[in-house]
């Protein structure tokens, strides 16, 4: 029995522990704590996976992991403090000095920066490949040192589609792991694990959270060995996600199907309109019939999100700037997946790529939010008029 104290300082420290019974609410409880109190001395150093410290996660984090496992059709999900951390953390957990990793040339630029400046420093070779290369040539040409293939389909900024299913099949036969950055598919429009890919990574910051106000990432797997490696990796790095943020992401996840349906429908309407504009050379949206990669998208995806690109007819940079500056309903920002529409120019980011296909003119990326698509089209029309005026 604990000693009863009449001293105020001690009673204030000890008061309130376990007071009352928690009501059952729609969302999980948000526990805030670094220290986890254990029931007895024997529990201080358990031989199993028993929870001993708050950084391992508490109620909201566990609820989010369980929900994401349902979303991804996965057996285990590891949480990371950002989408980039999910990719870098997964790579660090698996790769070692002397390994080689094959990375799609259209990978998210911060991931490329990590590969070039961190992996290489740790003695890991990085080779970029053309996403349009055949799976047979890609995997067949891999050296014995290749440990992992990192893919992103549709590709970042330019939306190339890659046959990730076939790559995964061929890679597995050679003992090579596959990772997909599935942020565009959000684990709902495309489930990499169902297609034989070993690790499905996504930036929960984008569509799952859905409100442009929280950072988080995840890596989903079906292999117990990979799950252990990923969990060990994040614990060894000292990363954690907070309960409040896990709650926010879980709240966003509840409405993901409804939001994605609106994003996808509106984006297709805008993409189809842009395709008919004389200022536009080509629209890069894999769900648009006749677009590049449409057949692969139709085979593997169940829907589309709000992110796509298009190329304008060649014109000076001032014309591109005039187009963007006219878009009052589009924020100029580098994220996407929230409720708001966004636009960026892409050419400055394409310079780091190894392969340089001709897109026909300045490349623009749009994220179509939840606004009325008719209003967005009217705003884009004004932007194209400003573009044409500057293009001469």
């Amino acid at each position: 029995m604990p000693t009863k104290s009449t001293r105020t300082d001690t009673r204030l420290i000890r008061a309130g522990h376990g007071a009352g019974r928690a009501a059952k609410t729609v969302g999980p409880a948000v526990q805030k704590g670094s220290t986890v109190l254990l029931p007895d001395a024997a529990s201080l150093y358990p031989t199993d996976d028993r929870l001993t410290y708050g950084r391992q996660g508490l109620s909201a984090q566990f609820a989010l992991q369980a929900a994401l496992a349902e979303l991804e059709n996965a057996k285990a999900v590891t949480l990371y403090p950002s989408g980039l951390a999910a990719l870098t953390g997964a790579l660090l957990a698996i790769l070692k000095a002397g390994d080689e990793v094959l990375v799609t040339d259209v990978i998210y630029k911060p991931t490329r920066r990590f590969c070039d400046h961190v992996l290489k420093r740790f003695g890991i070779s990085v080779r970029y490949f053309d996403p349009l290369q055949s799976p047979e040539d890609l995997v067949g040409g891999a050296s014995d040192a290749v440990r992992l293939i990192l893919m992103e389909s549709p590709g970042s900024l330019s939306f190339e589609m890659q046959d990730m299913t076939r790559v995964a099949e061929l890679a597995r036969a050679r003992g090579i792991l596959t990772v997909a950055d599935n942020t565009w598919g959000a684990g709902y429009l495309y489930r990499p694990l169902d297609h034989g890919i070993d690790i499905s990574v996504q930036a929960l910051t984008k569509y799952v959270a859905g409100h442009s106000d929280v950072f988080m990432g995840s890596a989903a797997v079906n292999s117990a060995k990979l799950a252990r490696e990923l969990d060990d990796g994040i614990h060894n790095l000292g990363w954690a996600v907070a309960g409040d943020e896990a709650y926010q992401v879980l709240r966003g996840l509840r409405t993901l199907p409804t939001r994605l349906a609106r994003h996808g429908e509106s984006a297709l309407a805008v993409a189809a309109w842009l395709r008919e504009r004389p200022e536009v050379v080509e629209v890069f949206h894999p769900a648009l019939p006749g677009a590049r990669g449409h057949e692969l998208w139709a085979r593997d995806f169940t829907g589309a999100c709000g992110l796509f690109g298009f190329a304008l007819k060649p014109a000076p940079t001032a014309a591109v700037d005039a187009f963007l500056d006219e878009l009052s309903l589009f924020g100029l920002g580098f994220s996407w997946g929230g409720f708001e529409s966004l636009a960026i120019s892409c050419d400055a980011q394409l310079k780091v790529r190894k392969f340089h296909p001709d897109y026909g003119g300045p490349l623009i990326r749009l994220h179509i939010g939840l606004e009325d698509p008719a209003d967005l089209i009217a705003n884009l029309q004004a932007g194209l008029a400003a573009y044409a005026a500057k293009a001469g």
Side-chain angles (χ1 to χ4, degrees):
M1 294 289 292
T3 302
K4 179 71 174 178
S5 175
T6 58
R7 293 179 176 85
T8 301
D9 289 0
T10 300
R11 285 190 289 113
L12 288 178
I13 293 298
R14 307 303 300 175
H17 288 275
R21 186 171 62 183
K24 185 175 181 180
T25 56
V26 174
V30 178
Q31 292 177 281
K32 297 184 178 183
S34 54
T35 299
V36 172
L37 299 177
L38 302 169
D40 50 48
S43 300
L44 287 170
Y45 301 100
T47 57
D48 54 21
D49 292 331
R50 198 172 312 172
L51 180 66
T52 60
Y53 196 60
R55 188 160 50 81
Q56 294 169 261
L58 298 167
S59 54
Q61 293 93 322
F62 296 149
L64 176 59
Q65 286 173 302
L68 288 170
E70 290 288 340
L71 175 71
E72 298 263 15
N73 200 16
K75 292 181 180 177
V77 174
T78 303
L79 299 177
Y80 297 84
S82 71
L84 178 61
L87 274 169
T88 62
L91 295 177
L92 287 174
I94 293 167
L95 298 170
K96 64 183 185 306
D99 285 342
E100 183 178 9
V101 56
L102 304 182
V103 180
T104 177
D105 196 40
V106 295
I107 197 69
Y108 177 55
K109 186 180 177 182
T111 304
R112 189 185 198 106
R113 185 172 60 236
F114 171 81
C115 290
D116 290 344
H117 297 288
V118 179
L119 288 187
K120 290 183 178 179
R121 183 160 53 88
F122 290 165
I124 297 166
S125 300
V126 178
R127 181 162 65 87
Y128 294 99
F129 64 87
D130 185 343
L132 301 181
Q133 182 181 18
S134 75
E136 289 76 14
D137 288 345
L138 172 63
V139 180
S143 71
D144 292 339
V146 171
R147 169 70 171 147
L148 182 149
I149 300 175
L150 176 57
M151 301 174 284
E152 182 178 355
S153 183
S156 185
L157 300 178
S158 44
F159 303 93
E160 291 88 349
M161 292 295 297
Q162 182 179 9
D163 192 345
M164 296 194 292
T165 301
R166 180 62 174 156
V167 172
E169 178 186 9
L170 295 171
R172 188 176 296 272
R174 288 197 52 185
I176 299 172
L177 293 172
T178 49
V179 179
D181 181 339
N182 189 41
T183 305
W184 195 94
Y188 183 79
L189 305 172
Y190 178 75
R191 291 183 171 88
L193 303 184
D194 289 352
H195 293 265
I197 295 164
D198 295 298
I199 305 176
S200 172
V201 173
Q202 61 168 313
L204 303 175
T205 306
K206 306 296 196 293
Y207 276 117
V208 174
H211 293 80
S212 303
D213 58 0
V214 61
F215 291 100
M216 199 173 296
S218 64
V221 298
N222 277 327
S223 161
K225 179 177 181 295
L226 284 176
R228 168 59 68 184
E229 289 175 340
L230 293 176
D231 283 347
D232 286 348
I234 194 170
H235 295 323
N236 291 337
L237 288 169
W239 286 341
V241 302
D244 284 326
E245 293 174 341
Y247 188 97
Q248 282 181 274
V249 174
L250 182 60
R251 182 174 60 184
L253 178 60
R254 305 303 190 197
T255 62
L256 177 66
T258 303
R259 289 185 288 106
L260 275 178
R262 174 61 183 262
H263 284 294
E265 180 182 3
S266 296
L268 276 173
V270 173
W273 179 83
L274 282 168
R275 177 184 265 180
E276 302 303 319
R277 294 293 305 185
E279 304 89 348
V280 174
V281 176
E282 187 174 357
V283 176
F284 305 106
H285 191 321
L288 194 64
R292 301 184 191 188
H294 178 73
E295 294 78 12
L296 276 176
W297 173 85
R299 187 193 74 182
D300 292 341
F301 284 69
T302 61
C305 70
L307 193 74
F308 69 94
F310 65 96
L312 290 161
K313 288 185 176 179
T317 301
V320 178
D321 292 346
F323 167 76
L324 293 173
D325 289 341
E326 191 68 28
L327 300 182
S328 58
L329 295 183
F330 290 78
L332 304 184
F334 286 98
S335 192
W336 45 275
F339 53 85
E340 76 286 3
S341 291
L342 297 169
I344 62 168
S345 55
C346 303
D347 289 5
Q349 296 191 61
L350 303 179
K351 296 176 182 178
V352 299
R353 293 185 178 179
K354 179 179 179 182
F355 303 95
H356 299 279
D358 182 8
Y359 296 111
L363 188 62
I364 303 293
R365 190 185 73 184
L366 297 180
H367 176 253
I368 302 303
L370 302 180
E371 302 92 344
D372 191 302
D375 290 333
L376 297 177
I377 287 172
N379 196 201
L380 287 167
Q381 187 168 11
L384 291 174
Y387 178 82
K390 283 286 187 180

